[in-house]
Coordinates of all heavy atoms in Angstrom, one line a residue:
M1 N 0.8 -1.2 -0.1 CA -0.1 0.0 0.0 C 0.9 1.2 0.0 O 1.8 1.3 0.8 CB -0.9 -0.1 1.2 CG -1.7 1.3 1.5 SD -2.6 1.2 2.9 CE -1.4 1.6 4.2
S2 N 0.6 2.2 -0.8 CA 1.4 3.4 -0.9 C 0.6 4.4 0.0 O -0.6 4.4 0.1 CB 1.6 3.9 -2.4 OG 0.3 4.1 -3.0
H3 N 1.4 5.2 0.6 CA 1.0 6.3 1.4 C 1.9 7.6 1.3 O 3.0 7.5 0.9 CB 0.8 5.9 2.9 CG 2.1 5.6 3.5 ND1 2.8 4.4 3.2 CD2 2.9 6.2 4.4 CE1 3.9 4.4 4.0 NE2 3.9 5.5 4.7
L43 N 6.3 15.1 -6.3 CA 6.3 13.9 -5.5 C 7.5 13.1 -5.6 O 8.1 13.1 -6.7 CB 5.2 12.9 -5.9 CG 3.7 13.4 -5.9 CD1 3.3 14.1 -7.1 CD2 2.8 12.1 -5.6
C44 N 8.0 12.5 -4.6 CA 9.2 11.6 -4.8 C 9.1 10.5 -3.8 O 8.4 10.6 -2.8 CB 10.6 12.4 -4.6 SG 11.1 12.6 -2.9
D45 N 9.9 9.5 -4.1 CA 9.9 8.2 -3.2 C 10.8 8.5 -1.9 O 11.9 9.0 -2.0 CB 10.5 7.1 -3.9 CG 10.6 5.8 -3.1 OD1 9.7 5.3 -2.8 OD2 11.8 5.5 -2.8
T68 N 6.5 10.1 -0.7 CA 5.7 8.8 -0.6 C 6.5 7.6 -0.1 O 7.7 7.6 -0.3 CB 5.0 8.5 -1.9 OG1 6.0 8.2 -2.8 CG2 4.2 9.6 -2.5
R69 N 5.8 6.5 0.2 CA 6.3 5.2 0.4 C 5.5 4.3 -0.2 O 4.2 4.4 -0.1 CB 6.4 4.9 2.1 CG 7.5 5.6 2.7 CD 8.9 5.2 2.4 NE 9.7 6.1 3.1 CZ 11.1 5.7 3.3 NH1 11.6 4.6 2.8 NH2 11.8 6.6 3.9
G70 N 6.0 3.3 -1.0 CA 5.4 2.2 -1.5 C 4.7 2.6 -3.0 O 4.1 1.6 -3.5
L71 N 4.9 3.6 -3.5 CA 4.5 4.1 -4.8 C 5.5 3.6 -5.9 O 6.7 3.9 -5.7 CB 4.1 5.5 -5.0 CG 3.5 6.0 -6.2 CD1 2.2 5.4 -6.4 CD2 3.4 7.6 -6.2
A72 N 5.0 2.8 -6.9 CA 6.0 2.3 -7.9 C 6.2 3.3 -8.9 O 5.5 3.4 -10.0 CB 5.5 1.1 -8.6
Y73 N 7.1 4.3 -8.9 CA 7.4 5.3 -9.8 C 7.7 4.8 -11.2 O 7.4 5.4 -12.0 CB 8.4 6.3 -9.2 CG 7.9 7.1 -8.1 CD1 7.8 6.8 -6.8 CD2 7.6 8.5 -8.5 CE1 7.4 7.5 -5.7 CE2 7.1 9.4 -7.6 CZ 7.0 8.9 -6.1 OH 6.5 9.7 -5.3
A74 N 8.4 3.6 -11.3 CA 8.8 3.0 -12.5 C 7.6 2.7 -13.3 O 7.7 2.8 -14.7 CB 9.7 2.0 -12.3
S75 N 6.4 2.5 -12.8 CA 5.2 2.1 -13.5 C 4.3 3.3 -13.8 O 3.1 3.0 -14.3 CB 4.5 1.0 -12.9 OG 4.1 1.3 -11.6
L76 N 4.6 4.5 -13.2 CA 3.8 5.6 -13.4 C 3.7 6.2 -14.8 O 4.7 6.1 -15.6 CB 4.2 6.7 -12.5 CG 4.0 6.6 -11.0 CD1 4.5 7.8 -10.3 CD2 2.5 6.3 -10.7
F82 N -4.6 9.5 -8.6 CA -4.6 8.9 -7.3 C -5.5 9.7 -6.3 O -5.5 10.9 -6.5 CB -3.1 8.9 -6.8 CG -2.2 8.0 -7.5 CD1 -1.6 8.5 -8.6 CD2 -2.0 6.7 -7.1 CE1 -0.7 7.6 -9.2 CE2 -1.2 5.9 -7.8 CZ -0.5 6.2 -8.9
I89 N -5.4 13.7 -7.4 CA -4.3 14.2 -8.3 C -4.1 13.4 -9.5 O -4.4 12.2 -9.5 CB -3.0 14.4 -7.5 CG1 -2.4 13.1 -7.1 CG2 -3.2 15.3 -6.2 CD1 -1.1 13.1 -6.5
I91 N -1.2 12.5 -12.4 CA 0.4 12.6 -12.8 C 0.5 13.4 -14.1 O -0.2 13.0 -15.0 CB 1.0 11.2 -12.9 CG1 0.9 10.4 -11.6 CG2 2.5 11.3 -13.3 CD1 1.6 11.1 -10.4
Q115 N 13.6 8.2 -12.1 CA 12.9 7.0 -11.8 C 12.1 7.2 -10.5 O 11.2 6.3 -10.3 CB 13.8 5.7 -11.6 CG 14.6 5.5 -12.9 CD 15.5 4.4 -12.6 OE1 15.8 3.8 -11.5 NE2 16.5 4.2 -13.6
N116 N 12.3 8.2 -9.7 CA 11.7 8.3 -8.5 C 11.1 9.8 -8.0 O 10.9 10.1 -7.0 CB 12.8 8.0 -7.4 CG 13.2 6.6 -7.5 OD1 12.5 5.6 -7.0 ND2 14.4 6.4 -8.0
A118 N 8.0 12.7 -9.7 CA 7.0 13.0 -10.5 C 6.3 14.3 -10.3 O 6.4 14.8 -9.2 CB 5.9 11.8 -10.5
M134 N -2.5 6.4 -0.6 CA -2.6 6.8 -1.9 C -3.2 5.6 -2.7 O -2.5 4.5 -2.8 CB -1.3 7.2 -2.5 CG -0.7 8.4 -1.9 SD 1.0 9.0 -2.7 CE 0.5 9.3 -4.3
A136 N -4.8 4.3 -6.5 CA -5.1 4.6 -7.8 C -6.6 4.7 -8.0 O -7.3 3.9 -7.4 CB -4.4 3.4 -8.7

Side-chain angles (χ1 to χ4, degrees):
M1 169 182 80
S2 57
H3 68 278
L43 299 87
C44 83
D45 177 69
T68 66
R69 288 284 174 168
L71 184 61
Y73 283 78
S75 63
L76 289 180
F82 292 89
I89 63 170
I91 301 300
Q115 299 169 6
N116 296 285
M134 293 182 67

